[in-house]
Amino acid sequence: MSFVVDGMINFLDILFNLTSLVGLPYYGVAIILFTIIIKIILFPLTYKQTASMRKMMELTPMITDIQKKYAKDKVKANQKVMELYAKEKANPYMGCLPLLIQMPILWAFYKALMIFPYGNEASAMFLGFNLTVKYGFTPDYHLILPIAAGLSTYLMSKTTSSSTVSASQPESAKQTQKIMLIVMPFFLAYITASVPSGLGIYIITMNIVSAIQTLYINNHLEKQSKAKSA
């Protein structure tokens, strides 16, 4: 993993040098660009993950019916569910696999930012934030960073949950999603306040790009679904 982190640090430096050429010598800009690039590279996996989750959501009512029909025969129920997956070309693990692939990459970038050797103080400044400083919840201008992290997390969570919530879901699952929708923004706001602000820029950018990608994917899948049913 260390060589991946080192590679990301080097690439972040390259981006900084490139942005400096166009009059933007700020590591904050490089962090935003790098985050966007990572999300673009991971987009095919994100698409597959979202599509798989939507597919499983659509199959939920049928799976529930099978489980009720064969409530006394678990083996038969599992067999019928697997047959349904095969018929509908659905993979219950596909929703998790892309996430498992993405997480090490995103974690490596997180680690790279944690140890990144910023140049002079001027280049580490961005929008009034020193990217190496932890500002906490100081009641001043810098409080905008954790607030933005919380709001962007809510936006990202809301767009994601809209593609995974189904009327046929168990009530417990719906309640869990509602709780996470409330808890995660506060959690990410706390994390943002507790780490160097450069990581806060990364978190906010990641949330915004993720929300945009999810909206695009949902719209694209919706059009595909309508085209098939037409």
Side-chain angles (χ1 to χ4, degrees):
M1 181 64 76
S2 61
F3 75 92
V4 177
V5 173
D6 291 341
M8 288 186 170
I9 289 175
N10 292 333
F11 189 57
L12 196 56
D13 262 328
I14 292 173
L15 285 177
F16 171 74
N17 291 330
L18 290 175
T19 57
S20 297
L21 292 176
V22 295
L24 294 171
Y26 308 108
Y27 277 106
V29 176
I31 289 172
I32 291 173
L33 286 177
F34 200 174
T35 307
I36 293 173
I37 290 171
I38 287 178
K39 288 299 294 180
I40 290 174
I41 292 173
L42 295 176
F43 179 77
L45 293 175
T46 304
Y47 185 94
K48 288 182 179 180
Q49 179 186 358
T50 305
S52 178
M53 291 170 68
R54 283 177 65 95
K55 187 68 174 179
M56 293 304 298
M57 181 182 70
E58 293 170 1
L59 295 180
T60 298
M62 287 179 273
I63 294 173
T64 302
D65 290 341
I66 290 173
Q67 291 172 338
K68 288 180 179 179
K69 184 177 180 179
Y70 299 99
K72 296 182 180 180
D73 190 344
K74 299 296 183 183
V75 175
K76 187 70 172 179
N78 290 335
Q79 180 185 339
K80 289 295 182 181
V81 169
M82 295 308 295
E83 289 175 1
L84 176 64
Y85 288 154
K87 178 183 176 182
E88 298 294 334
K89 297 180 180 179
N91 187 338
Y93 305 108
M94 184 55 71
C96 299
L97 183 59
L99 184 62
L100 292 176
I101 296 173
Q102 291 180 63
M103 288 308 295
I105 297 173
L106 299 178
W107 179 251
F109 187 37
Y110 174 87
K111 293 289 289 184
L113 289 178
M114 282 292 287
I115 63 174
F116 189 78
Y118 293 95
N120 57 61
E121 186 173 345
S123 63
M125 294 299 297
F126 183 65
L127 300 177
F129 294 91
N130 185 320
L131 302 181
T132 66
V133 174
K134 303 176 185 178
Y135 289 102
F137 288 103
T138 306
D140 58 16
Y141 166 78
H142 302 104
L143 189 61
I144 194 173
L145 201 64
I147 291 175
L151 291 175
S152 62
T153 300
Y154 179 82
L155 173 65
M156 185 268 293
S157 300
K158 190 71 174 176
T159 54
T160 302
S161 64
S162 67
S163 64
T164 57
V165 173
S166 169
S168 59
Q169 273 186 321
E171 196 60 34
S172 59
K174 293 180 183 178
Q175 287 300 320
T176 299
Q177 286 187 322
K178 288 180 180 178
I179 292 172
M180 293 302 292
L181 191 61
I182 296 172
V183 171
M184 286 306 293
F186 286 101
F187 177 69
L188 265 296
Y190 171 77
I191 292 296
T192 300
S194 305
V195 297
S197 59
L199 282 166
I201 300 296
Y202 158 70
I203 290 171
I204 294 167
T205 306
M206 181 69 70
N207 285 338
I208 293 173
V209 177
S210 295
I212 292 172
Q213 286 187 340
T214 301
L215 287 172
Y216 171 80
I217 292 170
N218 286 341
N219 184 56
H220 186 260
L221 292 174
E222 196 67 35
K223 287 181 178 179
Q224 281 188 335
S225 179
K226 289 180 179 179
K228 288 180 180 179
S229 59

